[in-house]
Amino acid sequence: MIVYRIFSFILWLLAVPFCMGLLLLPLLKRSQRTPGAALIAGYILQFFILELVGIPVVLYVVYDGFSAFIKCYTPAIILCALAGIWVTYLKGKKGYELNFKGLRQLSEHSLEEKIMLIMFIGIVGFQLYMAFTRASFDGDDAYYGVQAVIAQQMDTLYRINPYTGRSSPLDVRHALALFSVWEAYVGSMSGVHATIVAHSVVPLVLIPVTYILYYQIGGILLKRKKELLPMFMVLMALWQMFGAVSIYTPETFFLTRTWQGKSFAGNFVIPAVLWLFLSLFGQKSRDTEVPLLREGWKILESGKSIAGYREESRRESDGQRGLWILLALLNLAGGASSSLAILLSCLMTAGFGFLFAVKEKKFSVLFKAGLCCIPGGIYVALYGALTHGLLIP
């Protein structure tokens, strides 16, 4: 039975999100198609579908809401995962492949870099050990943790007051943030109590996933000094360990309240916005049609033909399109963690979009940033309508 549950956790927390990420990976440049990027993209898509499917169920299904959610959510993510495998298989016949360059270069690291990597793995291992064996509890567990338990045991979503156990009107303040529902879902699919999932299992997955995201960010920031990347990861791990200078810092939430949506917002959603914009800023913007007289010296310098140069430009453009799509998905997926996360991610999208438009000298960049904010804008409008009584479910 234990083996089955461990296998279930691996399936629903790693394998399915990874395969879902494969569906989005062809939209990125080859250099960005790493296994880590696939897992991150998969989690973004997974939480996007969580909100897309879960919000109507929460609002309009009073009884047996959790069962209805499972019936709708499970086929959606399985279909996306199978589609990711199928797309990868079909494109693999045409030379498409994941980028394992970073893994292959591990053996080429210097002794100092290998020592730093071992230190990083040791620190993260210690964090996982402490998160698993020294799980902390706080007042918020009386709400968020209990909501997950109520979903499992009472088969209803946000219709019971977790403080009293009595039926109540829909809790519109929290009803759109479905992180607790996701934890209840993982527990139900694995046959494990929601509290165990939240306090013992989720940290073992989300902590490494967050460090994978930081690794992607570090790879962009240190693009020309890859030898410093292991040191960067060690510093990030130490920062997380000793950043608990108050109960409100992201570092405190990261290691002591990993299972709460607010922690996911501060340690995944916001860094994911930074990762996507750093990736956009790091790409060279070229038009597909390259004027020969203006760009001829670049072509001659690189030794490429005009056709090859245009093909590279097309790939750059496609890679940017994929990043914008991921950003749009993230601006709704963040709502699973916290309603405030949507506001922050959309504000960051607008701010960084403006800076990117200035850099590129293109108004179209602002237009793309605005399109990416549409899912988040709909979420905010729905939240406002619910909290002000304009929409009564």
Side-chain angles (χ1 to χ4, degrees), residues 272-340:
V273 176
L274 293 174
W275 168 57
L276 292 172
F277 270 103
L278 284 172
S279 299
L280 286 168
F281 272 77
Q283 289 189 0
K284 297 178 181 179
S285 178
R286 301 186 183 96
D287 296 328
T288 303
E289 293 298 326
V290 184
L292 181 59
L293 293 178
R294 189 181 66 186
E295 303 288 346
W297 65 274
K298 292 184 179 179
I299 299 173
L300 293 174
E301 187 181 53
S302 63
K304 297 175 181 175
S305 65
I306 296 177
Y309 195 79
R310 287 176 175 171
E311 177 64 20
E312 181 182 343
S313 300
R314 186 189 63 78
R315 292 197 195 100
E316 291 278 352
S317 177
D318 291 344
Q320 283 200 357
R321 189 181 301 115
L323 293 171
W324 287 116
I325 291 173
L326 268 176
L327 184 61
L329 297 179
L330 180 64
N331 279 335
L332 179 60
S337 60
S338 169
S339 300
L340 182 60

Side-chain angles (χ1 to χ4, degrees), residues 36-50:
L39 187 60
I40 295 169
Y43 265 94
I44 293 174
L45 180 58
Q46 183 181 40
F47 282 104
F48 173 82
I49 297 175
L50 175 70

